[in-house]
Amino acid sequence: MSAPSDAAAAVDTPAPTTAAASSSGGFTFKLHPLVIVNVSDHHTRVKAQAACSGDSSSSSSGAGAGQPPRVFGCVIGVQRGRTVEIFNSFELVLDPVSGTLDRAFLEKKQELYKKVFPDFYVLGWYSTGSDVHDTDMQIHKALMDVNESPVYLLLNPTINLSQKDLPVTIYESELHVIDGSPQLIFVRSNYTIETVEAERISVDHVAHLKPSDGGSAATQLAAHLTGIHSAIKMLNSRVRVIHQYLVAMQKGDIPMDNSLLRQVSSLVRRLPAMESQKFQDDFLMEYNDTLLMTYLAMFTNCSSTMNELVEKINTSYERPTTRRGGRGAFM
Amino acid sequence: MESLEALVAHIQGLSGSPEEVAHLHSLLKQADGEPLRAHAAALVPFLAHLSPETHSLGYLYLLEACATSGSNLSDFGGGDFLVTIAGFLTACSADQIRLAPDKFLNVCRVLKDQVMQLIMPIRGIAPLRAAVRKIQSSPEQLTPVHADYLLLCLLAKQYKAGLSVLEDDIFEVEQPKDLFLYCYYGGMIYIGLKKFPKALELLHNAVTAPMSMLNAIAVEAYKKYVLVSLIVNGQVPSFPKYTSVSAQRSMKNHAQIYVELSTSYSNGRYTDLETFVQANSAVFQSDNNLGLVKQVLSSMYKRNIQRLTQTYLTLSLEDIARSVQLETPRDAEMHVLRMIEDGEIHATINQKDGMVSFHEDPEQYKSVEMLEHIDSSIQRLTALSKKLASIDENMSCDPAYLMKTGRDRGRFDGRFDYDDYDSVPHKYF
């Protein structure tokens, strides 16, 4: 395991390390959104700091000119049998000279986290970039003494609008025989996203508080209402589909499916969810309040149109009373 | 010029389909004029040959020639002719008569004059109501017949009959005089029905309608407007900015007494108001407004009692009587009771100790009716808003407006880099 030759080999032949083969390990990976948020936050911070301070100094370690610097850190979680669940992550500093992670820091952090989360172990590490780097295998091997089979989480910070899935890939290391010699290469693994209720709320919150034009109250309200509108539209179309299905079943075009009918019937029976006089009163009061607000908004709208109209009529047809010097009444 | 018989034959023959009617129309136009009128006396028997529904256009021409021929209608057997006209108006076909609207209007006017001459306005109501509906191209259009119809309703004191015509919102007006008369008479009808808010609306329209010179109808309307707004609101609002300039300047001068009445009203003392009214009753009488003024007087009590609700939570009947300057607590009780029934205040009278306690508006906005009410208001408002937007657009393309704004803008071309839609007016000098 001679590092220089490995590095040389890696430099010369980048192909083996980046052969994105699929894993056959049989591990199921579950990723929590907190990790993704952490990594992206780390990356953004470093990028912002580099942009501020690194205008003059272009010698950033390992980063090409114009490319954002890579960030590194550890991921921690729980491994139960074949399921690996990644809960959290923390940042690490990569020593630019030797290309290794700061071990002392790692151990200290590990201890601290152990105190708070006794179940969590260091499961692997993360980094950012568009693809697996040659030096990554080094770091990966270095971590092998902490965890015998670490995972490598790669986040791609380049924003690709056409891409629908998350730009996160999880790699495992496997021993493959290539060109006669066994080598460790990264193989891609599938993963699922797993959320706890608290995470869902916070992710939602973060996602919605950042509209592109710097959400004022009006755009937030508009975004909120658009969300509700699309949700209701979707509900409406789904209900319509069920309705059509039932009508077709009634006519006899489709064979009767009793289990489906039972499901539909139970769905229908779920409403109304609440039946009491107090609920009715409160509901109607709120409904009337919303209607009144709409009414008021429309009134204001109408009044302003009316005002403009009156101004126009006054300018065109009335003899000006106090206006002098061609001061027009522009609305 | 064809003979009458030929003409009648044409009418009978060519009243089938719309193309034939158009042809007939051109024929009639040729035959129209003095020659036809000269034969007026001879026309009447021919009318019997024609039926008003199918031969409406021809009937109309002949009828109009008779009616405007200048000779006394009693020649035609006065009352019968009226019946003929009335029959025609109710039975005619709307499409055909719309081809000759001015003739139709002439006929209607003749009817109205006749009816007023005979001092039997009630006879003209039904035919004219039918006529209004027939000549309107849409329910939103105002025609001269509206004004005549309302006048007849007023004279005959058949206020409810006028309601059907008044309920439509008017959006198109051709002759300004029609609008003034319509608003004035309409206001009077609503006053007769004691629907003061609606009367206020119509009179307001009459007062604020665009006019280049002050006209008498508007002045009369203003007098009534002052009185009705005192009854409804307790005060006379100042002129809104869409009132014409001529109105703003000179209206008050012509209605001086009424302005003084409104100032005296706002002082809130019943006895002062009463003396003022007594002193000027002759003037009010000559304007035919004395009845309305008396109603203003009685509304004074209501205003004062309403003012009390804002200060007190409970009050005894004697105190009410004293502060409102009524004679006995009995009167006070009656007034308060009537106001509670009309929904003008919310209160309960405790008869045992003679105390009245005032409440808040009990409307909780919890009911489905309120929901529907608000919903329908929103719908109405949406429709109105669309109309307003289209009128606004039309106005922006109006040549007079463009000329005025273009002229101003042209003067400063090149001097200012000006944003047309700047909403803050700038001083140029």
mmCIF file of all heavy atoms in Angstrom, chain A residues 263-308:
data_model
loop_
_atom_site.group_PDB
_atom_site.id
_atom_site.type_symbol
_atom_site.label_atom_id
_atom_site.label_comp_id
_atom_site.label_asym_id
_atom_site.label_seq_id
_atom_site.Cartn_x
_atom_site.Cartn_y
_atom_site.Cartn_z
ATOM 1 N N GLN A 263 -62.087 0.169 -0.697
ATOM 2 C CA GLN A 263 -61.166 1.278 -0.382
ATOM 3 C C GLN A 263 -61.807 2.621 -0.642
ATOM 4 O O GLN A 263 -61.698 3.557 0.149
ATOM 5 C CB GLN A 263 -59.901 1.141 -1.234
ATOM 6 C CG GLN A 263 -58.957 0.108 -0.703
ATOM 7 C CD GLN A 263 -57.688 0.066 -1.522
ATOM 8 O OE1 GLN A 263 -57.629 0.617 -2.619
ATOM 9 N NE2 GLN A 263 -56.688 -0.586 -0.995
ATOM 10 N N VAL A 264 -62.481 2.700 -1.807
ATOM 11 C CA VAL A 264 -63.127 3.968 -2.133
ATOM 12 C C VAL A 264 -64.179 4.300 -1.092
ATOM 13 O O VAL A 264 -64.312 5.444 -0.655
ATOM 14 C CB VAL A 264 -63.748 3.902 -3.545
ATOM 15 C CG1 VAL A 264 -64.568 5.141 -3.801
ATOM 16 C CG2 VAL A 264 -62.673 3.758 -4.594
ATOM 17 N N SER A 265 -64.917 3.291 -0.696
ATOM 18 C CA SER A 265 -65.988 3.538 0.263
ATOM 19 C C SER A 265 -65.413 4.031 1.588
ATOM 20 O O SER A 265 -65.944 4.949 2.213
ATOM 21 C CB SER A 265 -66.793 2.248 0.450
ATOM 22 O OG SER A 265 -67.260 2.171 1.757
ATOM 23 N N SER A 266 -64.299 3.436 2.008
ATOM 24 C CA SER A 266 -63.723 3.884 3.279
ATOM 25 C C SER A 266 -63.180 5.296 3.137
ATOM 26 O O SER A 266 -63.257 6.103 4.064
ATOM 27 C CB SER A 266 -62.619 2.927 3.718
ATOM 28 O OG SER A 266 -61.460 3.155 2.962
ATOM 29 N N LEU A 267 -62.664 5.619 1.947
ATOM 30 C CA LEU A 267 -62.157 6.971 1.721
ATOM 31 C C LEU A 267 -63.292 7.979 1.827
ATOM 32 O O LEU A 267 -63.159 9.032 2.457
ATOM 33 C CB LEU A 267 -61.516 7.024 0.315
ATOM 34 C CG LEU A 267 -60.875 8.354 -0.065
ATOM 35 C CD1 LEU A 267 -59.627 8.534 0.753
ATOM 36 C CD2 LEU A 267 -60.552 8.357 -1.536
ATOM 37 N N VAL A 268 -64.407 7.632 1.187
ATOM 38 C CA VAL A 268 -65.526 8.564 1.177
ATOM 39 C C VAL A 268 -66.070 8.754 2.581
ATOM 40 O O VAL A 268 -66.492 9.842 2.965
ATOM 41 C CB VAL A 268 -66.623 8.032 0.228
ATOM 42 C CG1 VAL A 268 -67.919 8.763 0.459
ATOM 43 C CG2 VAL A 268 -66.182 8.174 -1.200
ATOM 44 N N ARG A 269 -66.039 7.673 3.369
ATOM 45 C CA ARG A 269 -66.614 7.781 4.692
ATOM 46 C C ARG A 269 -65.745 8.568 5.656
ATOM 47 O O ARG A 269 -66.182 8.877 6.762
ATOM 48 C CB ARG A 269 -66.859 6.393 5.272
ATOM 49 C CG ARG A 269 -68.333 6.090 5.364
ATOM 50 C CD ARG A 269 -68.543 4.635 5.574
ATOM 51 N NE ARG A 269 -68.770 4.025 4.285
ATOM 52 C CZ ARG A 269 -69.808 3.268 4.025
ATOM 53 N NH1 ARG A 269 -70.677 3.034 4.956
ATOM 54 N NH2 ARG A 269 -69.960 2.741 2.843
ATOM 55 N N ARG A 270 -64.542 8.890 5.238
ATOM 56 C CA ARG A 270 -63.693 9.658 6.153
ATOM 57 C C ARG A 270 -64.169 11.080 6.325
ATOM 58 O O ARG A 270 -63.828 11.742 7.289
ATOM 59 C CB ARG A 270 -62.258 9.674 5.630
ATOM 60 C CG ARG A 270 -61.502 8.481 6.087
ATOM 61 C CD ARG A 270 -60.035 8.717 5.941
ATOM 62 N NE ARG A 270 -59.464 7.575 5.269
ATOM 63 C CZ ARG A 270 -58.375 7.624 4.524
ATOM 64 N NH1 ARG A 270 -57.778 8.761 4.332
ATOM 65 N NH2 ARG A 270 -57.913 6.543 3.972
ATOM 66 N N LEU A 271 -64.912 11.571 5.337
ATOM 67 C CA LEU A 271 -65.437 12.931 5.491
ATOM 68 C C LEU A 271 -66.906 12.852 5.807
ATOM 69 O O LEU A 271 -67.570 11.932 5.342
ATOM 70 C CB LEU A 271 -65.271 13.700 4.191
ATOM 71 C CG LEU A 271 -63.846 14.071 3.820
ATOM 72 C CD1 LEU A 271 -63.865 14.758 2.474
ATOM 73 C CD2 LEU A 271 -63.246 14.999 4.840
ATOM 74 N N PRO A 272 -67.541 13.771 6.484
ATOM 75 C CA PRO A 272 -66.917 14.921 7.105
ATOM 76 C C PRO A 272 -66.158 14.536 8.362
ATOM 77 O O PRO A 272 -66.604 13.684 9.114
ATOM 78 C CB PRO A 272 -68.096 15.831 7.456
ATOM 79 C CG PRO A 272 -69.239 14.920 7.564
ATOM 80 C CD PRO A 272 -68.978 13.769 6.662
ATOM 81 N N ALA A 273 -65.027 15.184 8.527
ATOM 82 C CA ALA A 273 -64.159 14.770 9.615
ATOM 83 C C ALA A 273 -64.690 15.228 10.954
ATOM 84 O O ALA A 273 -64.401 14.624 11.969
ATOM 85 C CB ALA A 273 -62.759 15.328 9.389
ATOM 86 N N MET A 274 -65.445 16.332 10.925
ATOM 87 C CA MET A 274 -65.914 16.850 12.199
ATOM 88 C C MET A 274 -67.330 17.348 12.050
ATOM 89 O O MET A 274 -67.644 18.033 11.100
ATOM 90 C CB MET A 274 -65.009 18.005 12.621
ATOM 91 C CG MET A 274 -64.584 17.828 14.037
ATOM 92 S SD MET A 274 -63.876 19.244 14.804
ATOM 93 C CE MET A 274 -62.629 19.751 13.707
ATOM 94 N N GLU A 275 -68.170 17.008 12.961
ATOM 95 C CA GLU A 275 -69.566 17.424 12.867
ATOM 96 C C GLU A 275 -70.022 17.962 14.178
ATOM 97 O O GLU A 275 -70.426 17.201 15.047
ATOM 98 C CB GLU A 275 -70.444 16.211 12.551
ATOM 99 C CG GLU A 275 -70.524 15.848 11.109
ATOM 100 C CD GLU A 275 -71.642 16.559 10.376
ATOM 101 O OE1 GLU A 275 -72.030 17.669 10.789
ATOM 102 O OE2 GLU A 275 -72.097 15.993 9.402
ATOM 103 N N SER A 276 -69.928 19.242 14.392
ATOM 104 C CA SER A 276 -70.512 19.757 15.626
ATOM 105 C C SER A 276 -70.923 21.181 15.368
ATOM 106 O O SER A 276 -70.434 21.824 14.458
ATOM 107 C CB SER A 276 -69.512 19.692 16.773
ATOM 108 O OG SER A 276 -68.587 20.749 16.638
ATOM 109 N N GLN A 277 -71.803 21.694 16.165
ATOM 110 C CA GLN A 277 -72.307 23.039 15.959
ATOM 111 C C GLN A 277 -71.186 24.059 16.114
ATOM 112 O O GLN A 277 -71.072 24.999 15.333
ATOM 113 C CB GLN A 277 -73.427 23.328 16.976
ATOM 114 C CG GLN A 277 -74.149 24.630 16.738
ATOM 115 C CD GLN A 277 -74.627 24.785 15.315
ATOM 116 O OE1 GLN A 277 -75.117 23.848 14.699
ATOM 117 N NE2 GLN A 277 -74.471 25.964 14.760
ATOM 118 N N LYS A 278 -70.356 23.828 17.095
ATOM 119 C CA LYS A 278 -69.284 24.796 17.339
ATOM 120 C C LYS A 278 -68.344 24.861 16.142
ATOM 121 O O LYS A 278 -67.925 25.930 15.712
ATOM 122 C CB LYS A 278 -68.504 24.366 18.589
ATOM 123 C CG LYS A 278 -67.305 25.231 18.899
ATOM 124 C CD LYS A 278 -67.526 26.013 20.171
ATOM 125 C CE LYS A 278 -66.499 27.094 20.431
ATOM 126 N NZ LYS A 278 -65.439 27.298 19.551
ATOM 127 N N PHE A 279 -68.045 23.666 15.589
ATOM 128 C CA PHE A 279 -67.179 23.652 14.412
ATOM 129 C C PHE A 279 -67.823 24.410 13.268
ATOM 130 O O PHE A 279 -67.183 25.193 12.572
ATOM 131 C CB PHE A 279 -66.897 22.201 14.005
ATOM 132 C CG PHE A 279 -66.186 22.104 12.697
ATOM 133 C CD1 PHE A 279 -64.857 22.473 12.597
ATOM 134 C CD2 PHE A 279 -66.828 21.672 11.558
ATOM 135 C CE1 PHE A 279 -64.194 22.398 11.395
ATOM 136 C CE2 PHE A 279 -66.163 21.593 10.359
ATOM 137 C CZ PHE A 279 -64.843 21.958 10.275
ATOM 138 N N GLN A 280 -69.113 24.149 13.076
ATOM 139 C CA GLN A 280 -69.825 24.815 11.991
ATOM 140 C C GLN A 280 -69.756 26.326 12.148
ATOM 141 O O GLN A 280 -69.468 27.053 11.211
ATOM 142 C CB GLN A 280 -71.285 24.337 12.035
ATOM 143 C CG GLN A 280 -72.089 24.647 10.806
ATOM 144 C CD GLN A 280 -71.678 23.790 9.634
ATOM 145 O OE1 GLN A 280 -70.740 23.001 9.705
ATOM 146 N NE2 GLN A 280 -72.350 23.946 8.529
ATOM 147 N N ASP A 281 -70.017 26.785 13.371
ATOM 148 C CA ASP A 281 -69.979 28.228 13.612
ATOM 149 C C ASP A 281 -68.615 28.812 13.315
ATOM 150 O O ASP A 281 -68.483 29.804 12.594
ATOM 151 C CB ASP A 281 -70.323 28.517 15.081
ATOM 152 C CG ASP A 281 -71.792 28.327 15.348
ATOM 153 O OD1 ASP A 281 -72.553 28.241 14.376
ATOM 154 O OD2 ASP A 281 -72.172 28.251 16.519
ATOM 155 N N ASP A 282 -67.586 28.191 13.872
ATOM 156 C CA ASP A 282 -66.239 28.726 13.669
ATOM 157 C C ASP A 282 -65.860 28.692 12.201
ATOM 158 O O ASP A 282 -65.271 29.633 11.663
ATOM 159 C CB ASP A 282 -65.221 27.911 14.469
ATOM 160 C CG ASP A 282 -65.319 28.213 15.950
ATOM 161 O OD1 ASP A 282 -65.913 29.246 16.277
ATOM 162 O OD2 ASP A 282 -64.793 27.426 16.747
ATOM 163 N N PHE A 283 -66.210 27.574 11.577
ATOM 164 C CA PHE A 283 -65.857 27.438 10.160
ATOM 165 C C PHE A 283 -66.515 28.529 9.328
ATOM 166 O O PHE A 283 -65.869 29.178 8.508
ATOM 167 C CB PHE A 283 -66.295 26.047 9.686
ATOM 168 C CG PHE A 283 -66.153 25.856 8.216
ATOM 169 C CD1 PHE A 283 -64.909 25.848 7.627
ATOM 170 C CD2 PHE A 283 -67.259 25.684 7.416
ATOM 171 C CE1 PHE A 283 -64.771 25.668 6.270
ATOM 172 C CE2 PHE A 283 -67.133 25.505 6.060
ATOM 173 C CZ PHE A 283 -65.884 25.492 5.481
ATOM 174 N N LEU A 284 -67.821 28.748 9.570
ATOM 175 C CA LEU A 284 -68.518 29.764 8.791
ATOM 176 C C LEU A 284 -67.968 31.145 9.074
ATOM 177 O O LEU A 284 -67.857 31.984 8.177
ATOM 178 C CB LEU A 284 -70.014 29.713 9.092
ATOM 179 C CG LEU A 284 -70.742 28.602 8.347
ATOM 180 C CD1 LEU A 284 -72.179 28.563 8.788
ATOM 181 C CD2 LEU A 284 -70.678 28.816 6.858
ATOM 182 N N MET A 285 -67.621 31.384 10.333
ATOM 183 C CA MET A 285 -67.072 32.699 10.659
ATOM 184 C C MET A 285 -65.780 32.944 9.907
ATOM 185 O O MET A 285 -65.556 34.015 9.335
ATOM 186 C CB MET A 285 -66.821 32.796 12.173
ATOM 187 C CG MET A 285 -67.705 33.829 12.804
ATOM 188 S SD MET A 285 -67.158 34.469 14.359
ATOM 189 C CE MET A 285 -67.395 33.098 15.427
ATOM 190 N N GLU A 286 -64.928 31.917 9.870
ATOM 191 C CA GLU A 286 -63.657 32.104 9.176
ATOM 192 C C GLU A 286 -63.871 32.244 7.670
ATOM 193 O O GLU A 286 -63.212 33.037 7.007
ATOM 194 C CB GLU A 286 -62.737 30.930 9.478
ATOM 195 C CG GLU A 286 -61.326 31.394 9.701
ATOM 196 C CD GLU A 286 -60.427 30.260 10.113
ATOM 197 O OE1 GLU A 286 -60.610 29.782 11.242
ATOM 198 O OE2 GLU A 286 -59.591 29.866 9.291
ATOM 199 N N TYR A 287 -64.801 31.443 7.164
ATOM 200 C CA TYR A 287 -65.121 31.520 5.737
ATOM 201 C C TYR A 287 -65.594 32.915 5.397
ATOM 202 O O TYR A 287 -65.137 33.538 4.429
ATOM 203 C CB TYR A 287 -66.233 30.502 5.471
ATOM 204 C CG TYR A 287 -66.445 30.156 4.023
ATOM 205 C CD1 TYR A 287 -66.203 28.862 3.575
ATOM 206 C CD2 TYR A 287 -66.938 31.070 3.115
ATOM 207 C CE1 TYR A 287 -66.438 28.512 2.268
ATOM 208 C CE2 TYR A 287 -67.156 30.723 1.810
ATOM 209 C CZ TYR A 287 -66.913 29.441 1.380
ATOM 210 O OH TYR A 287 -67.130 29.100 0.088
ATOM 211 N N ASN A 288 -66.509 33.438 6.239
ATOM 212 C CA ASN A 288 -67.020 34.782 5.980
ATOM 213 C C ASN A 288 -65.916 35.823 6.075
ATOM 214 O O ASN A 288 -65.892 36.788 5.318
ATOM 215 C CB ASN A 288 -68.141 35.117 6.972
ATOM 216 C CG ASN A 288 -69.457 34.537 6.513
ATOM 217 O OD1 ASN A 288 -69.678 34.372 5.331
ATOM 218 N ND2 ASN A 288 -70.323 34.212 7.453
ATOM 219 N N ASP A 289 -65.004 35.629 7.016
ATOM 220 C CA ASP A 289 -63.886 36.570 7.128
ATOM 221 C C ASP A 289 -63.069 36.602 5.847
ATOM 222 O O ASP A 289 -62.736 37.671 5.333
ATOM 223 C CB ASP A 289 -62.973 36.173 8.287
ATOM 224 C CG ASP A 289 -63.559 36.553 9.621
ATOM 225 O OD1 ASP A 289 -64.465 37.407 9.621
ATOM 226 O OD2 ASP A 289 -63.126 36.007 10.637
ATOM 227 N N THR A 290 -62.741 35.403 5.334
ATOM 228 C CA THR A 290 -61.952 35.358 4.094
ATOM 229 C C THR A 290 -62.708 36.011 2.951
ATOM 230 O O THR A 290 -62.137 36.764 2.163
ATOM 231 C CB THR A 290 -61.641 33.908 3.728
ATOM 232 O OG1 THR A 290 -61.465 33.166 4.904
ATOM 233 C CG2 THR A 290 -60.408 33.843 2.870
ATOM 234 N N LEU A 291 -64.019 35.712 2.877
ATOM 235 C CA LEU A 291 -64.814 36.310 1.813
ATOM 236 C C LEU A 291 -64.826 37.824 1.934
ATOM 237 O O LEU A 291 -64.720 38.549 0.936
ATOM 238 C CB LEU A 291 -66.253 35.796 1.880
ATOM 239 C CG LEU A 291 -66.518 34.464 1.203
ATOM 240 C CD1 LEU A 291 -67.995 34.188 1.236
ATOM 241 C CD2 LEU A 291 -66.053 34.468 -0.225
ATOM 242 N N LEU A 292 -64.957 38.302 3.163
ATOM 243 C CA LEU A 292 -64.978 39.749 3.353
ATOM 244 C C LEU A 292 -63.663 40.367 2.918
ATOM 245 O O LEU A 292 -63.638 41.455 2.349
ATOM 246 C CB LEU A 292 -65.251 40.081 4.823
ATOM 247 C CG LEU A 292 -66.724 40.060 5.201
ATOM 248 C CD1 LEU A 292 -66.890 40.189 6.690
ATOM 249 C CD2 LEU A 292 -67.458 41.173 4.510
ATOM 250 N N MET A 293 -62.564 39.663 3.205
ATOM 251 C CA MET A 293 -61.278 40.201 2.773
ATOM 252 C C MET A 293 -61.198 40.278 1.256
ATOM 253 O O MET A 293 -60.711 41.261 0.689
ATOM 254 C CB MET A 293 -60.148 39.323 3.305
ATOM 255 C CG MET A 293 -59.842 39.624 4.741
ATOM 256 S SD MET A 293 -58.187 39.161 5.164
ATOM 257 C CE MET A 293 -58.214 37.431 4.789
ATOM 258 N N THR A 294 -61.668 39.201 0.606
ATOM 259 C CA THR A 294 -61.680 39.226 -0.861
ATOM 260 C C THR A 294 -62.526 40.378 -1.354
ATOM 261 O O THR A 294 -62.139 41.107 -2.277
ATOM 262 C CB THR A 294 -62.281 37.924 -1.398
ATOM 263 O OG1 THR A 294 -61.892 36.860 -0.570
ATOM 264 C CG2 THR A 294 -61.845 37.675 -2.810
ATOM 265 N N TYR A 295 -63.680 40.564 -0.711
ATOM 266 C CA TYR A 295 -64.598 41.625 -1.094
ATOM 267 C C TYR A 295 -63.906 42.971 -0.971
ATOM 268 O O TYR A 295 -63.972 43.823 -1.854
ATOM 269 C CB TYR A 295 -65.818 41.555 -0.173
ATOM 270 C CG TYR A 295 -66.999 42.365 -0.601
ATOM 271 C CD1 TYR A 295 -67.361 42.471 -1.929
ATOM 272 C CD2 TYR A 295 -67.776 43.021 0.340
ATOM 273 C CE1 TYR A 295 -68.457 43.207 -2.316
ATOM 274 C CE2 TYR A 295 -68.876 43.752 -0.036
ATOM 275 C CZ TYR A 295 -69.212 43.845 -1.361
ATOM 276 O OH TYR A 295 -70.299 44.569 -1.732
ATOM 277 N N LEU A 296 -63.229 43.140 0.156
ATOM 278 C CA LEU A 296 -62.538 44.399 0.387
ATOM 279 C C LEU A 296 -61.464 44.624 -0.666
ATOM 280 O O LEU A 296 -61.308 45.733 -1.193
ATOM 281 C CB LEU A 296 -61.901 44.368 1.782
ATOM 282 C CG LEU A 296 -61.248 45.666 2.221
ATOM 283 C CD1 LEU A 296 -62.277 46.735 2.353
ATOM 284 C CD2 LEU A 296 -60.549 45.442 3.543
ATOM 285 N N ALA A 297 -60.729 43.560 -0.985
ATOM 286 C CA ALA A 297 -59.671 43.705 -1.988
ATOM 287 C C ALA A 297 -60.264 44.106 -3.334
ATOM 288 O O ALA A 297 -59.753 44.989 -4.022
ATOM 289 C CB ALA A 297 -58.907 42.390 -2.118
ATOM 290 N N MET A 298 -61.374 43.470 -3.692
ATOM 291 C CA MET A 298 -62.010 43.792 -4.959
ATOM 292 C C MET A 298 -62.517 45.209 -4.971
ATOM 293 O O MET A 298 -62.451 45.906 -5.983
ATOM 294 C CB MET A 298 -63.197 42.862 -5.191
ATOM 295 C CG MET A 298 -62.801 41.459 -5.373
ATOM 296 S SD MET A 298 -63.863 40.721 -6.561
ATOM 297 C CE MET A 298 -63.600 41.833 -7.895
ATOM 298 N N PHE A 299 -63.066 45.622 -3.831
ATOM 299 C CA PHE A 299 -63.560 46.978 -3.695
ATOM 300 C C PHE A 299 -62.446 47.975 -3.962
ATOM 301 O O PHE A 299 -62.616 48.941 -4.697
ATOM 302 C CB PHE A 299 -64.023 47.176 -2.254
ATOM 303 C CG PHE A 299 -65.442 47.566 -2.132
ATOM 304 C CD1 PHE A 299 -66.273 47.573 -3.226
ATOM 305 C CD2 PHE A 299 -65.964 47.918 -0.910
ATOM 306 C CE1 PHE A 299 -67.599 47.916 -3.125
ATOM 307 C CE2 PHE A 299 -67.287 48.262 -0.804
ATOM 308 C CZ PHE A 299 -68.108 48.265 -1.897
ATOM 309 N N THR A 300 -61.306 47.724 -3.293
ATOM 310 C CA THR A 300 -60.180 48.626 -3.467
ATOM 311 C C THR A 300 -59.766 48.676 -4.925
ATOM 312 O O THR A 300 -59.521 49.760 -5.475
ATOM 313 C CB THR A 300 -58.992 48.148 -2.628
ATOM 314 O OG1 THR A 300 -59.468 47.690 -1.374
ATOM 315 C CG2 THR A 300 -58.007 49.266 -2.421
ATOM 316 N N ASN A 301 -59.712 47.509 -5.532
ATOM 317 C CA ASN A 301 -59.338 47.437 -6.936
ATOM 318 C C ASN A 301 -60.276 48.261 -7.800
ATOM 319 O O ASN A 301 -59.856 49.084 -8.615
ATOM 320 C CB ASN A 301 -59.406 45.970 -7.362
ATOM 321 C CG ASN A 301 -58.524 45.703 -8.527
ATOM 322 O OD1 ASN A 301 -57.758 46.551 -8.926
ATOM 323 N ND2 ASN A 301 -58.644 44.505 -9.077
ATOM 324 N N CYS A 302 -61.570 48.030 -7.574
ATOM 325 C CA CYS A 302 -62.586 48.739 -8.335
ATOM 326 C C CYS A 302 -62.493 50.232 -8.114
ATOM 327 O O CYS A 302 -62.585 51.021 -9.047
ATOM 328 C CB CYS A 302 -63.970 48.262 -7.880
ATOM 329 S SG CYS A 302 -64.927 47.584 -9.206
ATOM 330 N N SER A 303 -62.320 50.614 -6.859
ATOM 331 C CA SER A 303 -62.246 52.050 -6.566
ATOM 332 C C SER A 303 -61.076 52.684 -7.279
ATOM 333 O O SER A 303 -61.183 53.806 -7.785
ATOM 334 C CB SER A 303 -62.072 52.292 -5.070
ATOM 335 O OG SER A 303 -63.031 51.606 -4.347
ATOM 336 N N SER A 304 -59.964 51.974 -7.331
ATOM 337 C CA SER A 304 -58.810 52.598 -7.978
ATOM 338 C C SER A 304 -59.036 52.730 -9.476
ATOM 339 O O SER A 304 -58.673 53.747 -10.081
ATOM 340 C CB SER A 304 -57.548 51.808 -7.643
ATOM 341 O OG SER A 304 -57.198 50.984 -8.688
ATOM 342 N N THR A 305 -59.680 51.707 -10.086
ATOM 343 C CA THR A 305 -60.007 51.834 -11.520
ATOM 344 C C THR A 305 -60.924 53.015 -11.745
ATOM 345 O O THR A 305 -60.748 53.812 -12.674
ATOM 346 C CB THR A 305 -60.727 50.580 -12.021
ATOM 347 O OG1 THR A 305 -60.184 49.443 -11.411
ATOM 348 C CG2 THR A 305 -60.622 50.468 -13.511
ATOM 349 N N MET A 306 -61.926 53.125 -10.850
ATOM 350 C CA MET A 306 -62.892 54.205 -10.960
ATOM 351 C C MET A 306 -62.186 55.550 -10.855
ATOM 352 O O MET A 306 -62.457 56.481 -11.610
ATOM 353 C CB MET A 306 -63.905 54.056 -9.823
ATOM 354 C CG MET A 306 -64.939 55.118 -9.814
ATOM 355 S SD MET A 306 -66.183 54.750 -11.015
ATOM 356 C CE MET A 306 -67.462 54.243 -9.940
ATOM 357 N N ASN A 307 -61.258 55.624 -9.933
ATOM 358 C CA ASN A 307 -60.532 56.871 -9.732
ATOM 359 C C ASN A 307 -59.782 57.275 -10.994
ATOM 360 O O ASN A 307 -59.820 58.428 -11.429
ATOM 361 C CB ASN A 307 -59.568 56.695 -8.555
ATOM 362 C CG ASN A 307 -59.034 58.001 -8.072
ATOM 363 O OD1 ASN A 307 -59.685 59.027 -8.238
ATOM 364 N ND2 ASN A 307 -57.860 57.986 -7.483
ATOM 365 N N GLU A 308 -59.099 56.293 -11.584
ATOM 366 C CA GLU A 308 -58.349 56.591 -12.804
ATOM 367 C C GLU A 308 -59.286 57.058 -13.902
ATOM 368 O O GLU A 308 -58.980 57.997 -14.646
ATOM 369 C CB GLU A 308 -57.602 55.341 -13.263
ATOM 370 C CG GLU A 308 -56.456 54.978 -12.364
ATOM 371 C CD GLU A 308 -55.669 53.821 -12.900
ATOM 372 O OE1 GLU A 308 -55.730 53.584 -14.113
ATOM 373 O OE2 GLU A 308 -55.014 53.169 -12.094
#
